[in-house]
Amino acid sequence: MINARPTTIDKNNLAVREKSTKTVRSVERALSILFCVADSETALGLSELGRSVGVDKATTLRLVATLEKSGLVAREEHTKRYVLGPGINRFINTAQADMRRLCRPHMERLVEATGEAICLDVLRGLERVVAEAVNAPYELCVAPKVGSSDPIYVGASGKVIMAFLDNNQVDGIINETQLKPVTKDTITDPKRLKSEFTKIRRQGYAISHGETLPGGASVAAPVFDSAGKVVGAIDLRGPQVRLDRTKLNQLAPL
């Protein structure tokens, strides 16, 4: 015979568990502000951030100050408006580490096949940054450095990333940078640049001659994430004396 003992419920513990599953309102609001800044193509003021979250200006200021103290947002000195801060790189670097790990073997094989330097570039604000690089064996070569950056609108890798951004992002970049020339071959006309994007989307790659570095040449293809969003570019770099436009087009399929 089994003596069944009645089940007792500790209401205090149950209440604690139920309470622990509730979200923290201030954290939700702070995250909403962070996402709002991340999604915006331009810097945002306190009033805009407050409206996006639905709180008053004083509350917005406290939330933004907390994010700013952590480095997740930063206030522009000249406009007093907010953009993503350097602390966000701690999250970005983690994602980029996975990209580097996945891309590195393919990059090494490309160097073996072509004899030229291969880079993985990623978008960071108005710039493209070298996240990983495998240098060429030649003494005369373009040797990219990890961490170096250039304006996003110049060079094959920058153009191939921009070509697959949405129109609002492209217009925002053009308006903010005014396409200031880096070299005499930099494309500074918005119509011509957008025409290049149409061609890039059709053929699936971009080429560049002297747009970033006088005497340099490159060919690049986009890298997409699982959702189909462009997250970077793989590009081959070398001197124009070895890489004329015909050669770059021949190397593009690789």
Side-chain angles (χ1 to χ4, degrees):
M1 180 178 181
I2 299 175
N3 292 320
R5 306 180 73 178
T7 301
T8 58
I9 298 176
D10 187 335
K11 294 182 178 180
N12 290 330
N13 286 339
L14 182 59
V16 169
R17 288 198 299 272
E18 288 180 347
K19 189 175 182 180
S20 68
T21 62
K22 294 180 179 179
T23 58
V24 179
R25 186 64 171 159
S26 59
V27 175
E28 284 185 334
R29 287 171 170 171
L31 288 173
S32 294
I33 288 175
L34 183 60
F35 292 144
C36 186
V37 174
D39 291 339
S40 177
E41 297 163 12
T42 59
L44 298 174
L46 281 176
S47 297
E48 294 166 298
L49 292 172
R51 285 195 298 270
S52 72
V53 184
V55 297
D56 58 59
K57 194 170 184 179
T59 303
T60 304
L61 181 59
R62 290 196 298 271
L63 294 170
V64 171
T66 302
L67 293 171
E68 189 176 11
K69 186 176 180 180
S70 301
L72 296 176
V73 301
R75 187 172 63 167
E76 293 183 333
E77 190 65 31
H78 58 294
T79 66
K80 309 301 181 185
R81 296 163 72 83
Y82 292 90
V83 295
L84 287 178
I88 207 72
N89 287 328
R90 295 175 64 181
F91 300 100
I92 295 172
N93 289 340
T94 301
Q96 288 181 5
D98 288 338
M99 285 182 63
R100 292 194 298 268
R101 177 179 54 80
L102 290 169
C103 292
R104 179 82 188 194
H106 301 287
M107 295 167 66
E108 290 173 347
R109 285 196 289 272
L110 281 170
V111 172
E112 291 176 3
T114 65
E116 302 293 350
I118 303 294
C119 302
L120 167 65
D121 290 348
V122 296
L123 175 65
R124 186 182 67 188
L126 300 176
E127 299 178 321
R128 55 178 173 85
V129 182
V130 178
E132 184 63 287
V134 184
N135 286 329
Y138 294 116
E139 185 173 345
L140 176 61
C141 65
V142 176
K145 295 181 180 179
V146 173
S148 61
S149 63
D150 288 293
I152 185 62
Y153 55 87
V154 300
S157 60
K159 291 189 299 184
V160 88
I161 292 172
M162 278 191 73
F164 291 94
L165 297 176
D166 63 48
N167 291 333
N168 288 335
Q169 287 177 289
V170 170
D171 289 338
I173 291 170
I174 291 173
N175 290 336
E176 288 195 53
T177 63
Q178 295 297 301
L179 302 183
K180 293 178 181 177
V182 176
T183 71
K184 65 179 182 62
D185 293 312
T186 301
I187 298 175
T188 58
D189 176 40
K191 289 184 178 180
R192 182 185 166 197
L193 188 61
K194 289 182 178 181
S195 177
E196 282 260 319
F197 295 160
T198 301
K199 179 181 178 181
I200 290 166
R201 287 191 294 270
R202 183 174 65 249
Q203 65 188 15
Y205 65 91
I207 64 173
S208 168
H209 253 210
E211 293 177 24
T212 307
L213 177 71
S218 61
V219 56
V223 177
F224 299 98
D225 65 13
S226 58
K229 179 181 177 181
V230 65
V231 291
I234 294 290
D235 72 290
L236 175 149
R237 303 184 187 184
Q240 289 186 27
V241 293
R242 286 200 303 269
L243 298 172
D244 59 19
R245 293 184 180 275
T246 299
K247 183 66 174 179
L248 290 173
N249 283 301
Q250 290 172 347
L251 291 171
L254 290 174

